[in-house]
Amino acid sequence: MSTSAPVPRAPLSAVGDEITISPSALRSLGGELQRFMLEYRFAMQEIETKLAILREEFVHMHEYNPIEHVSSRVKSADSLLSKVERRGVTPEISEIRREIQDIAGVRVTCAFIRDVYRLFGLLTQQDDITVLEVEDYIEHPKDNGYKSLHAILSVPVYLSSGRVDVPVEVQFRTIAMDFWASLEHKIYYKYQRQVPEEMMAELKQAADSAAELDTRMQSLHVQMHGEPPPTSPINLQEIREVRERIRRV
């Protein structure tokens, strides 16, 4: 696998035990950073294309399309550099790639929970996709009720200089989960993450209601269309082993 050439280190300064990086120094990465960001945009587009192909196949060849909506984004350079500074990551391209996994993101919204796992399986069984990490917040919701299936997937991007394997964060969730998460994000933004306890309790109740709705709607769907094909369970131990091997390269 070819990698981007290392860039000069930006000046570091110590404040107590914390290392800080001058934003102006980080921006001096210039053209190398632009190329780096393009790699993530291309990787995001690769994932989008794979999903578009699956969606098109379901539309034309099957009676049911599990993909309701797909959205995507790449962090802006300013947002990325701010995160590099906050986390004290060494300002080298190889280190940023290793330590920050959510530079490119794709969100897949499905109608039903089973669709989430089915699409995860269909996408990750493709030969050029490597699963680096999975966080199953559907099976194990966050304390506030948040549910979603998060995966870091490595996808090859072929440039004029050769192949680069680039991580993309892909989130799979149902319509109900997406609606709840959108509302929760707005509330957290309004209160600058200091949400009153009573409102947090209401959010948790709303999450429970959304989960109940997901279960009931899926039950109705099964009554109409029958049981979907079985999906393989997510092997988290195998994913961790793959990730560790990649980190040692």
Side-chain angles (χ1 to χ4, degrees):
M1 178 183 72
S2 62
T3 57
S4 302
V7 296
R9 290 175 179 256
L12 305 179
S13 60
V15 180
D17 294 329
E18 182 179 355
I19 294 178
T20 62
I21 307 168
S22 164
S24 61
L26 280 170
R27 289 180 176 84
S28 70
L29 299 182
E32 187 68 18
L33 180 61
Q34 286 185 326
R35 178 183 178 85
F36 177 71
M37 299 299 290
L38 276 176
E39 292 173 2
Y40 282 85
R41 181 169 299 280
F42 298 151
M44 179 190 72
Q45 291 170 349
E46 289 281 355
I47 295 292
E48 288 178 304
T49 298
K50 291 176 179 295
L51 290 168
I53 290 171
L54 288 171
R55 189 176 196 172
E56 192 80 3
E57 180 199 353
F58 275 106
V59 166
H60 292 287
M61 303 300 295
H62 303 278
E63 294 182 356
Y64 172 66
N65 175 21
I67 301 176
E68 292 288 332
H69 180 66
V70 176
S71 59
S72 60
R73 65 100 181 99
V74 175
K75 284 184 181 295
S76 68
D78 283 345
S79 175
L80 173 60
L81 295 177
S82 294
K83 190 165 188 176
V84 167
E85 184 179 14
R86 286 197 310 272
R87 292 181 53 176
V89 176
T90 302
E92 294 180 350
I93 293 300
S94 60
E95 287 300 308
I96 295 173
R97 190 190 304 280
R98 184 191 305 271
E99 297 298 330
I100 300 181
Q101 300 283 292
D102 63 345
I103 297 172
V106 177
R107 180 175 298 151
V108 186
T109 305
C110 307
F112 307 107
I113 295 173
R114 288 179 178 177
D115 293 341
V116 164
Y117 292 104
R118 186 180 185 189
L119 280 170
F120 173 84
L122 290 172
L123 185 60
T124 58
Q125 73 184 9
Q126 297 185 21
D127 292 342
D128 58 348
I129 292 287
T130 301
V131 182
L132 301 180
E133 185 176 321
V134 173
E135 294 287 351
D136 190 348
Y137 296 117
I138 298 175
E139 185 69 23
H140 305 286
K142 292 186 178 182
D143 291 341
N144 65 354
Y146 175 84
K147 286 190 171 188
S148 186
L149 178 64
H150 291 199
I152 305 296
L153 308 181
S154 178
V155 60
V157 173
Y158 293 92
L159 304 171
S160 58
S161 56
R163 169 174 167 163
V164 182
D165 291 307
V166 183
V168 178
E169 182 187 50
V170 185
Q171 297 179 2
F172 303 84
R173 59 178 60 161
T174 66
I175 298 170
M177 294 173 195
D178 191 57
F179 174 70
W180 182 92
S182 177
L183 176 61
E184 186 250 12
H185 178 76
K186 291 175 182 177
I187 291 174
Y188 267 67
Y189 181 80
K190 177 177 175 61
Y191 286 96
Q192 298 181 338
R193 307 190 71 82
Q194 302 298 318
V195 182
E197 287 188 12
E198 61 273 15
M199 188 167 290
M200 288 293 296
E202 288 192 42
L203 269 175
K204 180 60 169 63
Q205 291 176 5
D208 293 340
S209 297
E212 182 182 357
L213 178 62
D214 268 335
T215 301
R216 293 176 64 182
M217 296 305 290
Q218 181 168 273
S219 177
L220 288 172
H221 179 72
V222 169
Q223 290 178 43
M224 292 173 57
H225 299 280
E227 291 285 348
T231 56
S232 300
I234 299 173
N235 190 329
L236 294 179
Q237 181 59 36
E238 181 179 338
I239 291 168
R240 294 189 188 101
E241 290 173 358
V242 170
R243 179 177 174 83
E244 186 59 30
R245 286 199 299 271
I246 291 174
R247 289 181 68 90
R248 289 199 296 265
V249 172

